[in-house]
Each structure stands twice: as C-alpha cells, then as structure tokens.
Amino acid sequence: MTSATRTSPVWSAVGGNPVRLVLSPWPWRSLAYLLSGAVVGLVSLVGFFVTIGVGIVTTPLVIGLFILGALPKLGAMIAVVERRRLPLMLGEPAAPELSGTPWWRTPRDAASWRALGYAVLLALALWIVDLLVAVLVVTVVVVSLLSPLLAHFDTVGMLWWQLDSTREAVPFAIIATPVGLLLGAYVVTVLAAAQSSLARILLSPREEELEARVTELRRSRIELVDAFETERKRIERDLHDGVQQRMVALTMLLGRAELDVPEGEGLALVRQAHSEAEAALADLREVVRGVHPRVLTDLGLGAAIREVADRMPIPVRVDVSLDERPPAQVEAAAYFVVSEGLANVAKHAQARSAAIHARRAGDALVLVVSDDGRGGAVVGEGSGLSGLVTRLDALGGTLSVTSPDGGPTDLRMESPWHVDR
C-alpha cells in the first residue's frame, strides 16, 4: 500500500470496524464512484473507437492523420473528468497537470502521457470491472433481502440454494442479507479505493516534477522581479535626467525673470510661479526617490538607508554591517522594506525613536526595522508591506511583524544572499 493510500480516509475506514464501515457513507460513495466510472469508461471507449475508426477511414484524405492526432486530446479530456470524480473517494482532487497545457493541446510531458494511459486503461478494462462488481453486489443484496417475497411467486436460486417457498426464504434472508451487506460493502469500497488511489497516482504529478515546476515558477518570478526593477531604474533615469532637469531649468529661468520684471502685479505672478515650480521640483524628487533612489545604485544599501532615516521627523539609529553589497534584487527589496517601514512609523506608530539593523547572517541578509510606538501593526491586504511580502517570496525570503499592543514593533526581513535561478 502506498503512502497515498495509507493517508486516505477510505483506507482507514476499510481497516476499521466492519459494522462502522457498513453504516458509514463509504459503501454508498464507492458504489457511486464505480457506477459513474462505468459510465465514463463506456463513453471513453466509444469515443476512442469512433476517433480511431474515423481516423483510419479518412487517412487517405490526410484529414485522418489529424483525427488520429486528437487521441491525446481525448485522453486529456477524460483525465479532467477523472480528477473531478476523485473527491468522491479521496476527499480532495488530484493535483492538476503541471505542464500548464490545456486539454485541447497535445500533451508533451510525462504527467500528461500518464493521464492518457489511465484514460485508455479506464476505457478498455476498468469500467467493465466496475460495472460487473457494482451490479453483482447490488443484485445479491437486493435478491437476498427480497427472497421471501420472490419465493412466494417462483423458485429463487441463490448460489447453491433453491428457495421454493417463503418459509425457506425467510431464514435465508435473515442470514444472507447482513452477510451480503458486509461482504458487498468491503468489495465495493476496496475496489473503489484501489481505483481512486491508482487514479491519483497516475493523474497527479510526481515529486520530481513538482520540484521542477517550483524551480521554474521561482525562476519566472525572479525574472519578473528583475524586469520590474529594470523598469523602475529606467523610469527613475528618465525622470532624473529628463523631467527633473527641465524643472530645474524652469526654476532658474523664473528666478532670472524675478530680477528683470519690475515691481508690480507681473512680478508677483512670476514669484508665485517660481514658488510653485520649486514645490513641484521637490515633489518630483520625492517621486524619483520612491521609484528607485539614485543613491541606492551609486552608494549601496547603507547610504540609501541613512538618507531615508535623515528625512524622518524622529531620531533613527542606523546599524548596517555588511561586508559586501547584496545582489541588486535583494538590495532593492531591503531598501523598500526600510522605506515602507519608516513611513508607517511616521504615520501610525506615534513613536519617539526608531532603529534599523542590517547584517549578513551566513548566507542570508537579515534586516530589522524597530520602533518604540504603540504597536498593533500587521502585514495585511491593502498595506504597502503586502506587495513586499510577495516580492520577497519570489526571492525565497520572508517578511514578518512582531507588534504587541503597546509596542515595541519589529519588522523583520530575511532573504537569501544569493538568489537561485
């Protein structure tokens, strides 16, 4: 018995008290699973034979080759139906195929071909066994139960017994019906449990396939983070070298205009325009820092953190102990954790002071933003930190908050120093 079957509740029921099994829903669920499997198998058999027959007949017209090529697609459709039936026995569906290939495209990986193999097995053999066992068990139990009534009208043959009268059939029904229920419940449940376990094994991806898929997904997410960071840098560069320089030139031009315009209403308007331009320039610089600070690229994480701390309205102690610069993705994530954390301190914490600690611990970057505020902080949907949680998860890192009511609050980030691809 595999680990899959050992952990399945239906196998636990089979190995338990026989009376509890008969009185449980499992025999009925198993019977429904076998009967529905017989229907699916019969339809699958007809589908395979029709597809193969039409494909062979139309092969001289070339179109038959395309029809025969649709057999894997038919198998994938049957596998989708079988995954939907599995919760009836296992309580949970089989994991979906990892290829990401929908049923209407030809399967190319091992999991998809295993699914096709199961579909063929169901169409050629399993449905026949399901139907025969289900019909036999139901017939034996029903005939045993109704044997006194049936014997009143005609002779009833049950195995090696011949029941010619109701008087002979009553003791038979009293003995045979419970025995038939017990044996039938076991036969139906064991067969359905074995077939559903086989389906889960064949229709679920293997462990190595899961690991490969997880690696692929992580690589894709890291590439998305890289692309996002590259785009942020491009936007920062365009704003810094383009829009910001033009705003600087505009403020200088308005400053010169103040010297040339005579006193009066015109000079007041020029001064107002100069003031608004300087305010817009200050806002633009804040936007540039928020997109991607130039100091982070030029001088590294320590300098960027100190720049953020210097803008805080409360004292912030900075302790950054790094022997080398972390990779760009990790460095950027750490900076934005600090930036968002200090922004939350300024807005919500009502703190008197804060501290930032960053160090390398083995092959990981550990960063903690703490404050002595009122506490009660959480990382949840809608907060600025929720996006950073997703970003760190793509890098293999974590972000957690310890913030009891009354404080203090610790925002802790841990990220691998080297990002695996």
Side-chain angles (χ1 to χ4, degrees):
M1 191 182 297
T2 66
S3 60
T5 59
R6 282 198 301 269
T7 57
S8 177
V10 63
W11 286 110
S12 300
V14 169
N17 190 311
V19 177
R20 288 184 178 179
L21 175 65
V22 175
L23 298 178
S24 72
W26 287 115
W28 297 103
R29 296 174 69 167
S30 301
L31 187 62
Y33 184 80
L34 295 181
L35 291 176
S36 61
V39 174
V40 174
L42 179 59
V43 173
S44 303
L45 180 64
V46 173
F48 276 121
F49 270 106
V50 169
T51 303
I52 293 173
V54 173
I56 292 175
V57 171
T58 57
T59 296
L61 302 176
V62 181
I63 191 176
L65 298 177
F66 294 97
I67 296 176
L68 293 175
L71 285 174
K73 302 178 180 63
L74 180 59
M77 291 174 61
I78 298 169
V80 170
V81 176
E82 286 300 289
R83 289 189 182 95
R84 298 288 178 86
R85 291 200 311 123
L86 279 179
L88 194 62
M89 294 303 300
L90 303 180
E92 60 181 12
E97 63 274 16
L98 291 179
S99 63
T101 304
W103 61 264
W104 58 84
R105 294 184 182 176
T106 304
R108 299 181 182 274
D109 62 342
S112 298
W113 287 112
R114 286 198 307 271
L116 174 60
Y118 178 80
V120 173
L121 181 63
L122 176 66
L124 296 181
L126 293 181
W127 77 271
I128 300 176
V129 177
D130 293 348
L131 183 61
L132 289 177
V133 170
V135 170
L136 179 61
V137 168
V138 171
T139 301
V140 169
V141 173
V142 171
V143 171
S144 298
L145 181 63
L146 300 180
S147 58
L149 178 63
L150 297 176
H152 178 73
F153 298 100
D154 197 2
T155 300
V156 178
M158 285 292 294
L159 301 177
W160 53 87
W161 281 290
Q162 292 291 327
L163 308 176
D164 298 317
S165 66
T166 301
R167 179 178 298 179
E168 293 179 356
V170 167
F172 175 83
I174 294 174
I175 297 174
T177 301
V179 174
L181 280 173
L182 181 62
L183 294 179
Y186 265 94
V187 170
V188 168
T189 306
V190 169
L191 177 60
Q195 185 171 321
S196 60
S197 298
L198 174 64
R200 181 163 66 175
I201 291 172
L202 293 179
L203 299 180
S204 298
R206 303 288 173 84
E207 184 175 350
E208 58 271 17
E209 294 169 345
L210 286 171
E211 292 177 354
R213 182 59 171 168
V214 168
T215 301
E216 180 185 348
L217 286 173
R218 173 153 290 177
R219 183 184 301 113
S220 298
R221 294 178 70 176
I222 292 174
E223 289 173 354
L224 285 175
V225 171
D226 289 344
F228 180 63
E229 197 60 38
T230 301
E231 185 64 14
R232 289 178 74 114
K233 290 180 179 179
R234 185 192 66 78
I235 294 172
E236 182 272 335
R237 185 174 59 251
D238 291 345
L239 291 175
H240 184 275
D241 298 338
V243 180
Q244 184 171 270
Q245 297 304 319
R246 298 191 69 173
M247 287 296 298
V248 171
L250 176 60
T251 56
M252 293 177 63
L253 183 61
L254 289 172
R256 288 173 54 191
E258 286 186 38
L259 300 177
D260 297 335
V261 176
E263 288 290 341
E265 185 177 349
L267 180 59
L269 291 174
V270 171
R271 286 174 177 170
Q272 182 180 356
H274 190 192
S275 177
E276 291 292 335
E278 288 181 338
L281 180 59
D283 290 342
L284 179 60
R285 284 171 176 159
E286 288 297 323
V287 171
V288 170
R289 290 194 194 100
V291 172
H292 191 90
R294 178 60 63 93
V295 65
L296 180 64
T297 303
D298 296 341
L299 301 178
L301 183 60
I305 289 177
R306 291 184 179 90
E307 183 186 61
V308 177
D310 290 342
R311 299 199 302 267
M312 285 289 291
I314 61 174
V316 179
R317 183 165 58 90
V318 178
D319 177 20
V320 178
S321 302
L322 302 176
D323 53 359
E324 61 177 311
R325 292 185 64 170
Q329 311 101 312
V330 177
E331 192 174 56
Y335 170 81
F336 287 110
V337 167
V338 171
S339 181
E340 186 65 30
L342 290 182
N344 289 338
V345 171
K347 293 178 183 177
H348 310 296
Q350 299 178 2
R352 296 182 299 273
S353 64
I356 302 169
H357 302 276
R359 70 182 189 280
R360 180 172 181 174
D363 195 34
L365 171 65
V366 179
L367 184 143
V368 179
V369 180
S370 58
D371 67 78
D372 58 0
R374 62 180 181 177
V378 293
V379 177
E381 288 295 330
S383 68
L385 295 174
S386 59
L388 293 172
V389 172
T390 304
R391 181 172 185 162
L392 282 169
D393 183 61
L395 301 176
T398 59
L399 185 67
S400 60
V401 173
T402 303
S403 184
D405 289 336
T409 296
D410 288 334
L411 175 65
R412 182 183 181 87
M413 163 193 163
E414 293 189 25
S415 174
W417 192 272
H418 299 290
V419 180
D420 296 329
R421 293 179 177 270

